[in-house]
Amino acid sequence: MDFDMIVRNGIIVNASDIIEGHDIGIKDGKITCIGHLLPSTASTTFLDAQGGFITPGGVDSHVHLEQPNTPTGDTWETGTRSAICGGTTTVIAFVSQARHHDSLIPLVEEYSQRAKDNAYCDYGFHLILTNPTSKILHEEIPFLAREHGITSVKLYMTYDIMKLCDREILNIMVATRKLGMTTMIHAENHDMIDLIIETLEAQGKTEPYYHSVARPMIAETEATYRAISLAELMDAPILLVHVSSPVATKHIRDAQTRLLAVYGETCPQYLWLLAEKLRGEDFHGAKAVCSPPLRESSQETDAMWIGIANGTFTTFSSDHAATKFNVEGNGKRLGLIDGKPFFSKIPNGLPGLETRLPLLFKGVLEGRIQIQDFVRVACTNPAKLYGLPNKGAILPGRDADLCIWYPPDSMKPFKLVN
């Protein structure tokens, strides 16, 4: 057996084990062998991991790229280039339906054309549903699952232009359950939020910081519990996306202990940032506007780390939604009207495709989680959940998507030439 490349002198990490003293043999882009003293030929390339961890390439399963509602955000080219630089080798982005769209097929075709030949890494699609007609649920989604390999849909319980009522959510769960698809849910109570926004604006409290006041944790926890209840009724698998609340996390944990197919996802911003980031002069707090919002105390961020360590969170995603700041009358500055800030008009979202894995790995270095936890939530579980059998693990037959985490101080500055 000959190999195109052999990766040596590393610690191989999968979600359930660590392998030391073995090499990885790669042929035609696939892992073909893991073993000792692998044979080589004159054409074999060697890569020295220098004692670092070798993990599967990251799978970022919650990414917003080049969507119609993010005109100043990343393109497929810039976004996936950033992903590769941060160790992510597969992304799953969103084909987004607007209320007036009565068919998903042309949306998938158009979005596929945007990505084609413009991506630096592998990719897949979720479907965002805002107008779940009978034809879409019973004809188009089965077709897209069968012919395009789409395994998931995303629903919103908030935002006027996207939110669905409970009956619509139930109808979707009936359809996705038949197909074995995962239903992703953005869980926040819209009416609670709407009332608080109206009250704050009437009081003149419109600076970016009040975004966090307008979307309290109880709005997330109530909607999370309701989403779980709907899923339990329908016996349908769901994933609660970008969880930020300790109580919402407990609802997910409690459902899992009752053996419900309820999964959770959290993001880097809920591990490292607090609502204080929303303050700042010259509108700079707008850079930190995302939903759910950054929370107030380190108790909340600590709870997210615990949720990763104890297995409550199935996936760790970036929720990458880049929006430029210094574009007059666009991007984050849509929240400046006649020079006055209005937090409710600021586009939601933070960038994170490139920084997701390094920020999670920092938790490994600090002892918050184990390296196997890192691989489980950032690589293996998203590949399993969304039907990517060649991704997420270092095993013979899998794609040779590898990321090497060199020991501290072993890397020196260098100029990258491609």
Side-chain angles (χ1 to χ4, degrees):
M1 178 182 293
D2 63 321
F3 304 101
D4 298 328
M5 174 179 285
I6 296 175
V7 184
R8 290 179 166 172
N9 192 29
I11 302 169
I12 301 169
V13 184
N14 283 310
S16 59
D17 54 23
I18 295 176
I19 304 171
E20 298 189 57
H22 286 62
D23 302 334
I24 302 171
I26 298 169
K27 179 72 174 179
D28 297 329
K30 295 283 187 179
I31 298 169
T32 57
C33 185
I34 297 174
H36 290 286
L37 303 174
L38 299 182
S40 62
T41 65
S43 62
T44 303
T45 300
F46 293 93
L47 183 60
D48 185 0
Q50 301 178 28
F53 290 121
I54 307 172
T55 68
V59 180
D60 195 341
S61 55
H62 190 151
V63 173
H64 300 278
L65 288 175
E66 210 166 335
Q67 290 178 210
N69 62 337
T70 56
T72 70
D74 269 313
T75 64
W76 273 93
E77 180 183 2
T78 61
T80 56
R81 185 172 59 203
S82 296
I84 290 293
C85 289
T88 289
T89 54
T90 303
V91 302
I92 311 180
F94 294 91
V95 176
S96 186
Q97 180 195 31
R99 297 276 195 205
H100 64 275
H101 292 142
D102 57 8
S103 175
L104 300 175
I105 308 299
L107 302 178
V108 173
E109 292 173 346
E110 190 275 336
Y111 199 58
S112 296
Q113 286 302 310
R114 292 190 185 199
K116 184 179 179 182
D117 299 326
N118 290 314
Y120 283 84
C121 66
D122 293 330
Y123 60 88
F125 299 147
H126 307 291
L127 300 172
I128 292 176
L129 299 182
T130 60
N131 182 21
T133 64
S134 179
K135 178 183 177 183
I136 285 173
L137 294 181
H138 302 297
E139 296 178 24
E140 293 196 356
I141 289 181
F143 170 80
L144 291 169
R146 183 177 65 252
E147 300 298 327
H148 290 263
I150 293 175
T151 62
S152 47
V153 301
K154 183 183 179 184
L155 319 178
Y156 288 81
M157 300 172 78
T158 186
Y159 304 132
D160 282 317
I161 63 172
M162 307 187 87
K163 67 183 177 71
L164 301 177
C165 69
D166 289 357
R167 177 56 190 269
E168 289 173 311
I169 294 173
L170 289 170
N171 289 342
I172 291 169
M173 287 179 175
V174 170
T176 55
R177 181 181 182 276
K178 290 178 181 177
L179 298 167
M181 299 176 78
T182 298
T183 301
M184 307 163 71
I185 300 179
H186 178 141
E188 287 183 290
N189 184 303
H190 180 79
D191 291 327
M192 287 184 185
I193 294 166
D194 204 36
L195 172 66
I196 299 172
I197 289 175
E198 285 186 12
T199 303
L200 290 170
E201 289 183 344
Q203 297 173 355
K205 298 177 179 178
T206 58
E207 290 81 8
Y209 173 77
Y210 289 101
H211 173 76
S212 67
V213 177
R215 307 182 90 94
M217 282 193 288
I218 194 170
E220 181 183 355
T221 57
E222 185 281 328
T224 298
Y225 187 84
R226 181 158 41 100
I228 292 170
S229 299
L230 299 175
E232 182 173 12
L233 175 67
M234 302 313 302
D235 191 22
I238 62 169
L239 178 129
L240 283 306
V241 297
H242 46 51
V243 175
S244 71
S245 157
V247 180
T249 305
K250 184 177 184 301
H251 288 330
I252 294 168
R253 184 73 169 180
D254 290 346
Q256 292 167 345
T257 61
R258 294 189 291 118
L259 303 183
L260 300 179
V262 174
Y263 308 104
E265 166 202 274
T266 194
C267 307
Q269 53 267 35
Y270 306 121
L271 300 182
W272 294 108
L273 301 180
L274 296 176
E276 189 66 26
K277 286 287 184 182
L278 289 158
R279 301 186 187 274
E281 297 180 356
D282 300 323
F283 197 57
H284 279 274
K287 296 176 180 178
V289 167
C290 59
S291 293
L294 306 179
R295 300 306 182 186
E296 290 290 340
S297 109
S298 59
Q299 291 180 325
E300 280 84 58
T301 55
D302 288 346
M304 301 305 104
W305 282 110
I306 292 170
I308 292 175
N310 67 18
T312 301
F313 290 124
T314 309
T315 63
F316 178 76
S317 305
S318 67
D319 191 14
H320 178 86
T323 303
K324 290 181 180 177
F325 181 73
N326 289 314
V327 179
E328 198 64 37
N330 208 332
K332 291 289 188 181
R333 292 186 181 273
L334 288 170
L336 273 178
I337 300 175
D338 295 327
K340 182 177 180 180
F342 284 87
F343 70 84
S344 63
K345 307 298 182 185
I346 300 171
N348 274 268
L350 304 179
L353 252 176
E354 184 172 352
T355 54
R356 175 185 71 115
L357 291 184
L359 288 170
L360 186 63
F361 191 74
K362 186 178 180 183
V364 175
L365 297 178
E366 294 182 355
R368 289 176 175 268
I369 59 172
Q370 300 298 312
I371 186 65
Q372 298 100 311
D373 299 324
F374 172 98
V375 172
R376 172 174 49 81
V377 296
C379 312
T380 307
N381 280 354
K384 287 182 178 179
L385 188 64
Y386 298 114
L388 303 173
N390 293 321
K391 307 295 184 183
I394 301 176
L395 295 170
R398 301 292 181 97
D399 288 352
D401 299 344
L402 305 177
C403 184
I404 299 174
W405 300 87
Y406 290 96
D409 302 323
S410 67
M411 292 294 288
K412 305 300 180 185
F414 66 96
K415 182 178 181 180
L416 178 64
V417 177
N418 188 347

